[in-house]
Each structure stands twice: as C-alpha cells, then as structure tokens.
Amino acid sequence: MSEPAFDADALIDAMPPLIGLTPLEGARPAVKLHLEIAVRLARLVVDFPLDDDSEPAPVFTP
Amino acid sequence: MTAPLHALSAHELRAALIGGKASAREIVEAALARIGALDPRLGAFTDVTPERALAKAAEIDAKRASGKTLGPLAGAPFAVKNLFDVAGLSTRAGAKINRERAPARRDATLIARLEAADAILLGALNMGEYAYDFTGENVHDGPSRNPHDLERMTGGSSGGPGAAVAGGLVPIALGSDTNGSIRVPASLCGVFGLKPTYGRLSRAGSFPFVASLDHLGPLARSVADLAASYDAMQGADAADPAQSARPIEPAAPSIEAGIAGLRVARLGGYFARGGEPAAHAAVDRVARALNADRTVEFPEAERARAAAYLITMVEGAALHADRLRTRACDFDPDVRDRLIAGAMLPGAWVVKAQKLRRWVRDRVGEIFRDVDVLLAPATPTRAPRIGQKTFMLDGREMLVRPNMGLFTQPLSFIGLPVCAIPLWSEGERLPIGVQAIAAPWREDLVLRVARALERDGVARAPVGEPK
C-alpha cells in the first residue's frame, strides 16, 4: 500500500493556530520547501528498523 | 623578529613577550590597528573591547615586570563568536532580537579560562543568526567575508571567528559547532578548527541552539595554539549540566609525537562522494601523507545526517517558539522559515532520531577498536560566493545554507572529536579542509595528526591579506 502524498500546504494552513504562529503568507514557499526537505529526510530515520527497547540519547555520553 | 606581530601565533607572541621583544600592550595595539584597518572590509567583529584588552595587557606586563610566571597563552589576543557572554555586552547570537537583552553580568566560562591563561579578549565576532547557518551571512550585521577573497563566504555559523583568525586580526577565536559551524568556516577560511567531544568543554554562558548537539571550541592558525587554547579551557564546570565528568586530559604535550603507530583510515561511501573533486582530492592528499590505505564505512551516515537535521529543526524551533510567535518579523527570514517548518514536525521523528543516535554511536565505537583516526572532507566545496543560494553537488542543484554541512553533520551527531585541517592545492587561492576524526575523548589524536600534517607542510593556515 503506498503512503498518502504529503500536502505541505495543508500542514501550513492547519498548524499555526495550534502552535500560536501568525500565518506569514510571504514565508509559505520557503516553509514549504523546508518541510519537504524534512519529510524526505525523516523517511530515512523513520524507516530504519530499531528494536522497541532501543534507548534514545537525550543526555548523550559519547 | 621579521614577521609583524599580527602574523605571529600565540606561542610566538608569548615568546616575544617573555624575551622582552614586545609588551602585551604593543601586541594589543598591533591587533587593534589590524582590526581598525581590515575589519570594515572583513566584517569579522561586531564588538571591539579595547579598554578591556588594554587593561588586561597592563596586568600581564605588570606580572612580567614583577617576575611572576606568565600563563600558557600570555599576551595572545582572542575574540569570541557573539553567542558567548561577554560581561557588559548584550549576547546577540547574531540576532536583532537579542540586542534588547540586558548586558551580560559575567563572562562565559571559556572566556574566563582563556583569560586565566593570560590570553587577552579583544571582542565579539559576527555569526549567522542564532547559529542556524553555514554561510557566515547575517542580514542584520552584514556578512563576514573571506580574507582570501572578499567576495567569498567565510562559511558559518562561526563566520566572524573564521574571518578574524584567517585575516590575522587574532591568532585564536572561539566558535560553536552544532552541525559543523566551527569546521565549515575553518575549511572555507583555511584555518585549523577543533570541535571537541560532546560534553568536553563547558557551554556555560553561551547562547544555545540545539542542546543535544551544541559544542564550543577554538579556531587558530597553528595547531600548537589550537591545542594550548583547548587545554586551557578544559575542566569541570558545575554551571553546565551537559558537561561530562572527565578529568583534564591535556593534548598539547603529545602533538609532536608524529603519526608512528597511529592507525589511520579514510571514510568511504557517503563521505567519498557528493563533494566537488577538490574536496575528495584533499582527503586523497592527506591520506597519502599519513599512509592511510584503508577505507572504512561509517554506518548509516546518510540517516545519521538526516537525524541530526531533524533534531536541529525541532529543538531549534522549540528554543525560539516564543520569539517566533511574537517577533517573527525581526528574524532573518532564512532562519525564521526553517524554524517555522521545524515547529510543525512530529515529535515521534525526534524520538526516533535520538534512538538512531545511540545506535550509530554504538556501531561507530566498534570501528574505533582497530582504527585510531578517520579522514573525511570538511566541506563539499571551497568557499561559494557571498549571496549564492544553490550549488551543484553530484549533479543535483542543492541549497548552500543547509548543505555545506553534509560531511560534518553525521560526526557531530554522535559527538566525536574532530579537527578541521586546511589544505591549499598548487596555485589555488582558496583553501579547503579535511576532517580528522577520533573516538570520543581522543582530541589528542586528531591534534597529533593535524600537527604532523602542519609540520610536513601538507596543511597550512597563512594570514589572508585582503585586496
């Protein structure tokens, strides 16, 4: 089953009230571009298989 | 002495001071004159602190006159990216908004430590707004300009530090590096830059960007200066909760040890493609000089970079959430629009990214069982032109601002210590850097390699004389 297409404009319309941002129409093309880059990169992260018990590293000790 | 004071390293300045060939006051006056002459064109400084510097110089000259032992950085002028707190200055972090902050009441920990070693603070340096930048451009303060070609970028976000050191305004500067912001300007400006292990140096008194990934560190024109300043800044600081409990492990004593016995390999795969030929040729040259004939793979480098990218977007957006709500028009639009996008991303992505971070760390730890130092390009290109928005990499047009960190980002993601080492090819008027990378807490190894390359003439960091 293929994933539904990501609609950046819909997110840009929906999110500002939730996070308290005033819509900046002039910023829409750039925000959209950055969202699309993030979605492409997120796929690399989200698709990577990790065990349920793998620990995040919020306070990181190399 | 033939070289002018501004062209000397911190070590040479200390020797001149001890030998009575120059006073600390003369050193400071020479640096202030150099700043006065060149900074209007370089855009490196946002604040110069001459009174403070002259007072410190007087203190050092009095110390010498009374026969007291001088600190390891005695008489060395330095300056700091303007996200470091400097007592009496508003910590602007490259932002218009931050100029309204009350002046800092005390210096950042690392400034205090360099001054305890008798270095002399000369002021604060230009940077990309809120450190979300790889170009060195700043819409409020103007760009910092590359001393080797004023029409070219310094790289960022520590653009002022890159310009100040490469331009001979100071021998040492401090920057920050979340995804490459010390190593990118070091590469583009042709200076040495050290991003220490995550948690090694105190971040207290610096304006944050991404708490999970922020590092502070030095840039310098000589490896000895890089090591001496790094050593002077080590040590526990209760004011930084992210700092690791490590003892002070001085690196300077071993930088002359050479490469004998070191197992050096180059990184393949992700790190061996994607840059312009000059970036990979620089790694070839360093690998030949170090007899590094092995290639190893960094596990899931592209995913590591992606994860660092997402963590940066989300943590950066969280840090600036209130300012985005109330002061959106006062941001640099290039920064603001990335932050707004970051504010819209799902939290689950970041949790997964942080899990991947631990996974990558564990796998890379296995590589370091039989390799001491890894090599990779520092930037995919030499310095782009100021204002350039895109470049062609691997046949694809890509944005400059987020992609100058292609090769730095996977490494800082897991906190490895890295030294950016500047190389110049024959007849080329712009440098490009190579990263030497070691296991956590082995800054000594990357500095040893950098020094061996500097001693053999493979790496160098000449003072730029802007035309």
Side-chain angles (χ1 to χ4, degrees):
Chain A
M1 196 174 72
S2 63
E3 287 181 29
F6 170 61
D7 182 348
D9 280 311
L11 189 67
I12 293 170
D13 289 335
M15 286 294 282
L18 177 66
I19 56 181
L21 290 179
T22 306
L24 286 165
E25 276 313 309
R28 179 179 289 265
V31 173
K32 190 173 171 180
L33 174 65
H34 291 302
L35 281 173
E36 286 166 351
I37 293 170
V39 168
R40 180 169 54 77
L41 295 175
R43 220 154 263 150
L44 292 169
V45 174
V46 173
D47 290 352
F48 188 68
L50 286 173
D51 294 337
D52 286 342
D53 62 355
S54 62
E55 288 283 336
V59 177
F60 190 64
T61 306
Chain B
M1 190 181 309
T2 52
L5 289 173
H6 75 258
L8 299 183
S9 69
H11 276 71
E12 291 165 333
L13 289 171
R14 184 175 188 273
L17 192 60
I18 289 172
K21 291 177 180 164
S23 66
R25 183 182 179 90
E26 287 167 338
I27 293 169
V28 167
E29 286 174 342
L32 291 171
R34 178 90 177 163
I35 292 167
L38 292 190
D39 200 54
R41 285 184 284 155
L42 286 177
F45 277 79
T46 51
D47 301 273
V48 184
T49 53
E51 289 175 13
R52 174 179 171 148
L54 288 166
K56 179 69 178 175
E59 181 190 316
I60 293 167
D61 285 334
K63 202 170 170 181
R64 178 176 175 274
S66 65
K68 289 182 184 160
T69 304
L70 295 174
L73 294 168
F78 75 103
V80 298
K81 187 174 184 176
N82 68 28
L83 56 63
F84 285 78
D85 286 350
V86 175
L89 300 181
S90 297
T91 306
R92 67 171 82 182
K96 176 183 173 187
I97 296 167
N98 275 38
R99 276 155 234 222
E100 297 164 19
R101 290 164 62 94
R105 287 190 293 173
R106 63 181 68 85
D107 294 328
T109 296
L110 299 190
I111 294 176
R113 291 198 173 154
L114 289 184
E115 287 207 318
D118 285 335
I120 303 171
L121 182 73
L122 282 190
L125 300 165
N126 200 357
M127 60 177 283
E129 187 179 71
Y130 290 130
Y132 207 172
D133 166 55
F134 282 133
T135 66
E137 295 175 351
N138 184 299
V139 76
H140 315 295
D141 292 311
S144 49
R145 293 179 178 273
N146 195 312
H148 300 292
D149 181 343
L150 294 173
E151 299 306 313
R152 301 272 171 174
M153 292 178 182
T154 53
S157 61
S158 305
V165 173
L169 308 188
V170 286
I172 298 168
L174 299 186
S176 67
D177 187 317
T178 302
N179 288 299
S181 284
I182 287 174
R183 294 162 286 160
V184 168
S187 175
L188 269 46
C189 292
V191 301
F192 295 91
L194 177 67
K195 185 204 75 62
T197 311
Y198 181 80
R200 170 72 89 175
L201 297 182
S202 172
R203 303 185 308 201
S206 64
F207 196 86
F209 174 26
V210 179
S212 292
L213 303 172
D214 288 343
H215 307 67
L216 304 179
L219 299 91
R221 290 191 310 274
S222 91
V223 177
D225 288 1
L226 203 65
S229 55
Y230 163 67
D231 284 351
M233 293 188 289
Q234 289 189 52
D237 180 9
D240 178 6
Q243 195 183 23
S244 295
R246 294 289 298 188
I248 293 174
E249 296 166 305
S254 63
I255 62 169
E256 299 291 350
I259 59 164
L262 284 187
R263 300 163 300 174
V264 184
R266 58 189 301 164
L267 285 172
Y270 176 90
F271 291 94
R273 59 174 186 265
E276 288 184 349
H280 302 295
V283 179
D284 292 342
R285 195 165 152 214
V286 168
R288 276 196 304 276
L290 298 174
N291 302 314
D293 50 15
R294 285 180 59 194
T295 298
V296 301
E297 298 297 323
F298 187 100
E300 302 296 344
E302 190 177 7
R303 294 184 203 275
R305 192 249 175 170
Y309 199 101
L310 296 176
I311 291 169
T312 299
M313 286 185 80
V314 173
E315 284 196 29
L319 176 69
H320 295 292
D322 287 343
R323 284 176 282 271
L324 287 172
R325 277 193 281 268
T326 58
R327 304 288 301 270
C329 292
D330 291 328
F331 278 83
D332 176 342
D334 281 345
V335 173
R336 179 197 63 205
D337 298 346
R338 290 174 84 186
L339 292 171
I340 290 175
M344 298 180 179
L345 301 184
W349 289 0
V350 171
V351 175
K352 185 74 182 279
Q354 288 284 11
K355 288 187 174 187
L356 182 63
R357 189 179 183 202
R358 186 175 294 277
W359 186 94
V360 174
R361 181 202 70 164
D362 291 346
R363 299 307 176 282
V364 172
E366 292 167 12
I367 293 174
F368 283 117
R369 287 182 192 156
D370 59 359
V371 175
D372 298 306
V373 174
L374 298 167
L375 304 173
T379 51
T381 70
R382 294 191 176 95
R385 290 192 176 280
I386 289 172
Q388 187 176 327
K389 296 294 185 192
T390 63
F391 48 20
M392 295 297 291
L393 294 180
D394 237 3
R396 287 171 57 202
E397 186 174 24
M398 299 170 79
L399 291 172
V400 171
R401 186 176 273 252
N403 288 306
M404 282 304 282
L406 274 179
F407 297 132
T408 52
Q409 212 160 358
L411 306 169
S412 33
F413 176 54
I414 55 167
L416 302 175
V418 184
C419 186
I421 300 169
L423 269 79
W424 298 74
S425 39
E426 188 72 31
E428 179 58 55
R429 60 193 182 89
L430 288 172
I432 194 161
V434 169
Q435 297 183 94
I437 307 139
W441 316 115
R442 298 310 307 266
E443 288 85 348
D444 59 319
L445 297 182
V446 297
L447 290 165
R448 236 173 96 182
V449 163
R451 175 60 190 138
L453 293 166
E454 180 187 43
R455 191 174 50 204
D456 293 345
V458 177
R460 61 193 178 89
V463 173
E465 294 295 344
K467 303 287 188 299

